[in-house]
Amino acid sequence: MQIKSRDADTSAINRFIYIQQGNILCTTDGIWLHSQASEVTVKWLEQPLFVAELDATNIYMQVIEDEISSGLQAHHGRDMMTLLTEAESDLLARALQLSHWLQDHQFCGRCGRATTLHKVDYGMCCEACRHTQYPRISPCIIVVVTGPKGVLLARNTRFPVGRFSALAGFVEAGESVEAAVHREVKEEVGIDIKNLQYIGSQSWSFPHSLMMGYMAEYKAGEIAVDGVEIDEADWFRPDCLPDLPFRFSIARRLVEIGLAKIAK
Ligand SMILES: [Zn+2]
């Protein structure tokens, strides 16, 4: 996927993603990149918005009004991403993130008047007070801790039974990313950690996070879950793993690194 300015290559093929209330509209036979722009779209986004280029195809997205057109079905983006290639999954994530931003910034956050899409940039502009609202990106940390008993994974209260993942949380205002890693692990499972290692990042569009992935080592403490965000947490070894996050997620990548580390 190539992210460029909003100027699409006019010689390339165009495809359109229809998004409705955070869901992707697909045909009954599973097509989600539509060959035609939808005529049913919202007033504050009258033209399809260029998302990115994928395999020499210009991908646009449209936010669709409430009624589902006949022959289309709504699918949750997170479910769809598990079925796509990594490049398609990244593309869908960007389209969803842009749709959340557009829906949440129809009005100026400073003076309350209606906004319009900037002619060139990804920005929602207020003509009255000149305030421009760009796509919101919220930094988050995500971390897998390794220790003598295995890799530390947790079950978020929103996860289905049996699904475990890395620990994660938002970076607070005025906080460094490293301090957020220590704080989140301590708050959620009561463990002290050491030797942080940055691994990589991933945009996560539910709704607008930028996940920064770390590995860490156990330092001290016993597992004590907070009961608010985390229901269960435990140390896992490769021969006894729970249901893990999907294959292209940064969470899964960190879990795999952790498992390889304890196997040495
Ligand atoms: Zn304003």
Side-chain angles (χ1 to χ4, degrees), residues 108-113 126 128-131:
C108 178
R110 187 185 283 162
C111 78
R113 293 201 172 84
C126 174
C129 77
R130 299 281 164 204
H131 181 48

Side-chain angles (χ1 to χ4, degrees), residues 13-50:
I13 305 166
N14 296 332
R15 289 286 180 270
F16 302 86
I17 302 173
Y18 306 160
I19 300 180
Q20 183 181 60
Q21 296 175 343
N23 291 314
I24 310 298
L25 298 185
C26 304
T27 62
T28 47
D29 47 2
I31 290 171
W32 60 282
L33 286 173
H34 303 278
S35 55
Q36 301 285 332
S38 171
E39 290 173 7
V40 191
T41 184
V42 295
K43 290 182 187 66
W44 41 268
L45 184 63
E46 289 171 353
Q47 299 296 318
L49 183 70
F50 179 66

Side-chain angles (χ1 to χ4, degrees), residues 190-203:
I191 297 283
D192 292 311
I193 55 173
K194 62 181 181 180
N195 297 338
L196 300 193
Q197 183 192 2
Y198 177 70
I199 302 297
S201 65
Q202 183 177 47
S203 171

Side-chain angles (χ1 to χ4, degrees), residues 67-260:
E67 313 83 46
I68 295 184
S69 311
S70 60
L72 294 176
Q73 294 174 338
H75 293 270
H76 195 282
R78 202 187 309 239
D79 298 335
M80 282 192 58
M81 283 164 72
T82 64
L83 307 172
L84 302 175
T85 67
E86 190 167 10
E88 289 171 337
S89 176
D90 288 349
L91 177 79
L92 198 62
R94 177 165 160 79
L96 280 168
Q97 200 159 336
L98 289 172
S99 82
H100 292 308
W101 159 65
L102 287 164
Q103 283 185 302
D104 290 351
H105 294 89
Q106 298 168 52
F107 298 93
C108 178
R110 187 185 283 162
C111 78
R113 293 201 172 84
T115 55
T116 52
L117 186 64
H118 191 280
K119 286 187 173 57
V120 182
D121 292 336
Y122 291 89
M124 291 296 270
C125 308
C126 174
E127 287 179 17
C129 77
R130 299 281 164 204
H131 181 48
T132 302
Q133 300 168 114
Y134 297 100
R136 184 167 154 193
I137 298 167
S138 304
C140 289
I141 61 87
I142 181 161
V143 56
V144 164
V145 182
T146 56
K149 296 178 191 167
V151 294
L152 177 62
L153 302 177
R155 196 176 79 77
N156 191 289
T157 49
R158 291 174 288 113
F159 287 179
V161 173
R163 164 82 54 83
F164 283 69
S165 187
L167 294 165
F170 289 102
V171 179
E172 295 280 345
E175 186 178 46
S176 73
V177 176
E178 294 79 5
V181 178
H182 285 278
R183 177 184 53 76
E184 283 289 345
V185 175
K186 186 71 176 177
E187 278 178 7
E188 292 188 348
V189 294
I191 297 283
D192 292 311
I193 55 173
K194 62 181 181 180
N195 297 338
L196 300 193
Q197 183 192 2
Y198 177 70
I199 302 297
S201 65
Q202 183 177 47
S203 171
W204 190 244
S205 54
F206 303 101
H208 37 63
S209 302
L210 175 63
M211 311 296 294
M212 288 171 281
Y214 282 82
M215 297 301 300
E217 293 173 9
Y218 170 82
K219 183 178 171 191
E222 293 296 323
I223 292 175
V225 296
D226 66 4
V228 180
E229 284 187 62
I230 301 298
D231 257 350
E232 276 180 89
D234 211 343
W235 299 99
F236 291 92
R237 302 203 65 86
D239 56 354
C240 188
L241 289 173
D243 181 16
L244 294 173
F246 93 103
R247 59 200 165 122
F248 300 134
S249 62
I250 182 89
R252 182 62 172 265
R253 185 174 159 204
L254 297 175
V255 173
E256 302 286 354
I257 291 171
L259 291 171

